[in-house]
Amino acid sequence: MSTNESPQRSRLDPEPIPRRDFLGMASLWATASTLAFATLGMLRLPKAAVLSSPSKKFRAQLPSTLLPGVPFIPVGRSVALFRDEQGVHAVSITCTHLGCIVKPSATGFDCPCHGSRFAPDGKVIRGPAPAPLPWRKVTVDGDVCLVDEDVSVPVGTKV
Ligand code: FES
């Protein structure tokens, strides 16, 4: 008996797959799975991959100790609320130059990005801001203010 002979195969053993057939099947599977993933990717395209932003309308309760001329900026919002004898108004705190959030200062608002300065009513004191800070719509319901950051109102509108 020679040692080079292949071992005796049983009739129940599966037929060995020739290498050429195996490689052909592997390339077919690779092609099919690539097409499947590409199709899934294309089906996802119409859905925008962005997060929804919070509503631009919000309710805020002014602190009872808020003094006239002192801004109240609700957390996470881009308006400053003021209360005085004539009523309540809201001034946007988004700089009209390139959109930085301005900070309250002794003279109104200062922009930390490029140095614009605004009066408390939003007028430009020093550029480069090209336009005043817009006033936003406010409605008052008892102690609660409903502010709409998307709606501008004429300067001087107080409720
Ligand atoms: S973004 Fe405010 S001055 Fe430029």
Side-chain angles (χ1 to χ4, degrees):
M1 183 169 165
S2 137
T3 56
N4 286 342
E5 284 182 20
S6 62
Q8 198 71 359
R9 294 186 53 222
S10 160
R11 288 186 319 156
L12 299 176
D13 287 343
E15 279 292 316
I17 301 174
R19 185 184 327 168
R20 184 173 297 216
D21 290 350
F22 174 78
L23 292 175
M25 291 294 288
S27 69
L28 277 178
W29 276 106
T31 303
S33 60
T34 300
L35 287 175
F37 280 113
T39 303
L40 283 175
M42 284 191 299
L43 291 176
R44 289 195 55 209
L45 277 181
K47 185 179 174 196
V50 294
L51 298 173
S52 60
S53 60
S55 170
K56 294 290 187 177
K57 285 184 184 175
F58 66 95
R59 292 180 186 278
Q61 183 154 16
L62 295 178
S64 58
T65 57
L66 186 66
L67 298 173
V70 176
F72 169 69
I73 302 173
V75 175
R77 299 297 177 173
S78 58
V79 295
L81 295 164
F82 293 88
R83 179 172 54 204
D84 58 21
E85 305 79 41
Q86 289 97 38
V88 175
H89 68 281
V91 178
S92 170
I93 58 170
T94 303
C95 183
T96 54
H97 180 223
L98 292 178
C100 290
I101 299 298
V102 299
K103 305 289 180 214
S105 70
T107 56
F109 297 99
D110 293 346
C111 182
C113 293
H114 308 106
S116 288
R117 302 183 82 184
F118 301 90
D121 65 354
K123 278 193 198 115
V124 178
I125 298 173
R126 186 176 79 199
L133 299 173
W135 285 34
R136 301 301 189 201
K137 182 180 177 189
V138 182
T139 49
V140 176
D141 182 15
D143 288 346
V144 178
C145 298
L146 179 60
V147 183
D148 191 341
E149 293 177 292
D150 276 338
V151 179
S152 293
V153 296
V155 172
T157 306
K158 296 182 181 181
V159 292

